[in-house]
Amino acid sequence: MKKPGRWIALVGFILLIVWSSIFHMTRIDAALGFSFLVLVPLLVEEVVKHQENRAEQWLRAVMQTSLPFAGAGVISVTMPPGQEAGWWAFVWFFYTLMLAFGGLMRLAGRGVRPLEETVIDVGLLYIAVGGAWLVISQSGWASFLPYTQTIVQLTAIHFHYAAFVLPLATGFFGRFRSAGNRVRKQYTERPYHVLCIGVLIGPFLVAIGLDQGPPVEVVTVGLYVLILIWLAVWWFWLSVELPSWGSSAIRLASLLLVGTMILSFAYSWGLMSEAFGVSIGQMVSYHDLVNAFGFSILVTLAWRKASPPQRHPFTTFPVSNLRQRGYVGNDAIYRNGWAETYRREEGLVPTWKVFRSHHFDPTHVHPDIRKFYLRTDQFTMEADVRWEKRFQAFSKLSCRVTRKFGQINLPLTGRMNMSGEIVSISDKQDGREQVRAWVRKNEKTDEPVFTALYSYHKRASETYMNISLPLPLGTMTGILRPEHDGREGLVLTSHLRPDSRGDEGVYLTFGSWTIRTPLREWFHVSVRDGDLAARHQLAVWGIKFLTIDYILKEKEPTP
């Protein structure tokens, strides 16, 4: 089934009507049930865009199983608070934890950029907080808190709507703006980033205000109200660009959001001034229910109709299937039967033609540099390793660990000569194209330094170097984008480009889960005094910690 979420939501809506006609449900109960049965499958389905992404495969599978968990949640809210109701609520809470796990793995696999995807992921995390508050409410634990049962229930609603629906809708809005920028620079990014931060901290602003009461509540709620009114006005302004009835739906949703936010601020102001112009009952009737059955469904259907794409299919690149359970060393490729010794390879790349794109032309790279990558085993390598001073203590610990792994075994600051070997690797076992290993070791001590499995992959008419380093129980993958330096030199970088439309990065894979690390690496290969010079720099969270300078000399031909 292409879009199961809408059919699950339709069945859920029918079940909610039938259930409410048989059992007594308060307005709060109905709002929670509507979120469980209708909004969650509709919104989670819209999150998922790429089936190759492991985290989104997880979310799609979780979404397809939502009905029994949502049914448990509805049973819970129609029962009086107590142990049995608490256990039914826990079933729904377990489901929200699975959603939160999917959001966390999307975030870990991609990183915080682009921000429209991050705000979606945080919304998936927030709904688990809503599930926890539902357990507190239905288990009868509200008596242990300084809040009434109604306030605890409203908090559960808050994290199922304001902290879930709004971040996801804001993320879809960001996807829409990103799609508009793909062809031409139509929108600036900074205002949207500020809005995302406001939407994400909003639930905490409300929580702080609820805990502190007036006058703090007026300030925090007032700030959140301003953020959401800004969002509503922005949506109203851009609604003309949405297709068909989605434009009208987003306008009406924007007007409803403005009205309910003004009501929310009026309630907080009334508590501070002791005027009590808006009661808690009126807040439930007009603020929560209008947002639940009006704003939320309108905005959900509108953004599903627009269905803006993700700016890039993140973490869908090929990852090596080869794994090492323990020590790697110089001969892991032989011990594990990965090597195809009947084939002889000389270089790290089969041909430079595969890297030609509208961003990169190999013919602009110096012939000697191209020769090094095609005939790597014909060059000697001298390395000068320099750790930054503030990382000296870390370098000692790193050396002890990597020596036990026999991989990424860089020495402390100093010079060394490396010897290398290029070996053909079984593509069938690895799962990537034209894989070859570059095994490097310390020429003096024979200790292993790197065992790297080189390949490449294409994405959107661009070719990346795809380099795997087997680790105990997993693998590290460096996705490097080739660039020109303007002087016939070659730059290979894992730094994500400003528009975040690329695979580049340094990743760790364990099992089928891939996460982006905060590591960044950068190679610059150039010609200096007739020899090749290469600089390899590594940074973590943008802080440089290691530099390796190589001198690459072509070997004298044997007589």
Side-chain angles (χ1 to χ4, degrees), residues 139-211:
S139 297
W141 297 342
S143 58
F144 298 104
L145 300 174
Y147 311 119
T148 65
Q149 175 67 16
T150 301
I151 292 297
V152 174
Q153 281 187 308
L154 292 178
T155 304
I157 287 183
H158 178 71
F159 277 96
H160 280 83
Y161 283 92
F164 173 66
V165 176
L166 269 174
L168 266 65
T170 303
F172 302 152
F173 172 49
R175 288 179 177 178
F176 174 77
R177 298 179 78 252
S178 172
N181 280 348
R182 185 179 290 274
V183 178
R184 62 186 186 279
K185 189 68 176 176
Q186 189 172 356
Y187 308 117
T188 57
E189 294 287 347
R190 193 175 298 276
Y192 177 75
H193 292 170
V194 174
L195 175 68
C196 285
I197 293 170
V199 169
L200 293 182
I201 67 172
F204 295 101
L205 292 175
V206 174
I208 292 170
L210 179 66
D211 182 68

Side-chain angles (χ1 to χ4, degrees), residues 37 153 273 454 492 556:
L37 289 164
Q153 281 187 308
S273 63
Y454 279 71
L492 297 171
E556 295 292 334

Side-chain angles (χ1 to χ4, degrees), residues 220-381:
T220 57
V221 172
L223 180 57
Y224 188 44
V225 166
L226 287 176
I227 291 167
L228 296 188
I229 289 177
W230 176 26
L231 173 64
V233 171
W234 206 347
W235 281 355
F236 196 93
W237 176 44
L238 291 180
S239 62
V240 294
E241 299 181 23
L242 292 177
S244 62
W245 55 264
S247 176
S248 300
I250 206 72
R251 289 178 190 175
L252 180 56
S254 300
L255 293 174
L256 291 176
L257 183 60
V258 170
T260 55
M261 287 302 101
I262 292 174
L263 184 67
S264 178
F265 182 75
Y267 173 73
S268 298
W269 181 266
L271 290 179
M272 186 184 72
S273 63
E274 299 184 354
F276 298 105
V278 180
S279 67
I280 188 68
Q282 290 173 314
M283 278 290 293
V284 172
S285 298
Y286 300 110
H287 179 276
D288 295 324
L289 297 184
V290 169
N291 278 336
F293 298 109
F295 167 79
S296 294
I297 191 61
L298 284 171
V299 78
T300 297
L301 294 177
W303 287 119
R304 277 178 60 91
K305 176 64 177 176
S307 192
Q310 288 188 31
R311 67 171 69 193
H312 186 77
F314 299 100
T315 59
T316 57
F317 50 81
V319 175
S320 173
N321 295 325
L322 303 181
R323 300 288 186 272
Q324 175 63 32
R325 290 188 176 275
Y327 184 79
V328 180
N330 296 324
D331 62 345
I333 58 174
Y334 299 108
R335 293 196 315 267
N336 294 296
W338 301 340
E340 292 185 334
T341 54
Y342 59 86
R343 283 198 301 130
R344 184 176 184 274
E345 301 290 356
E346 296 180 310
L348 301 177
V349 300
T351 173
W352 277 103
K353 292 180 180 179
V354 298
F355 292 94
R356 187 187 302 276
S357 70
H358 56 287
H359 292 300
F360 180 77
D361 185 351
T363 61
H364 295 166
V365 176
H366 195 281
D368 289 349
I369 298 175
R370 283 182 280 151
K371 183 178 181 180
F372 167 74
Y373 280 91
L374 294 172
R375 302 287 184 268
T376 311
D377 61 354
Q378 295 180 12
F379 287 78
T380 63
M381 179 177 293

Side-chain angles (χ1 to χ4, degrees), residues 353-424:
K353 292 180 180 179
V354 298
F355 292 94
R356 187 187 302 276
S357 70
H358 56 287
H359 292 300
F360 180 77
D361 185 351
T363 61
H364 295 166
V365 176
H366 195 281
D368 289 349
I369 298 175
R370 283 182 280 151
K371 183 178 181 180
F372 167 74
Y373 280 91
L374 294 172
R375 302 287 184 268
T376 311
D377 61 354
Q378 295 180 12
F379 287 78
T380 63
M381 179 177 293
E382 180 183 330
D384 181 13
V385 180
R386 298 192 309 278
W387 291 83
E388 297 296 318
K389 289 184 179 179
R390 51 187 162 179
F391 287 93
Q392 289 294 331
F394 173 78
S395 68
K396 295 176 183 178
L397 174 63
S398 173
C399 287
R400 285 198 294 268
V401 173
T402 57
R403 186 173 290 115
K404 291 181 179 180
F405 287 170
Q407 177 67 293
I408 321 178
N409 185 25
L410 292 170
L412 299 175
T413 297
R415 292 179 178 272
M416 69 171 173
N417 291 326
M418 290 186 191
S419 59
E421 178 186 14
I422 305 295
V423 183
S424 178

Side-chain angles (χ1 to χ4, degrees), residues 427-439:
D427 290 357
K428 184 177 181 180
Q429 293 187 65
D430 186 281
R432 297 174 298 161
E433 294 184 57
Q434 301 202 38
V435 187
R436 60 277 316 276
W438 190 16
V439 181

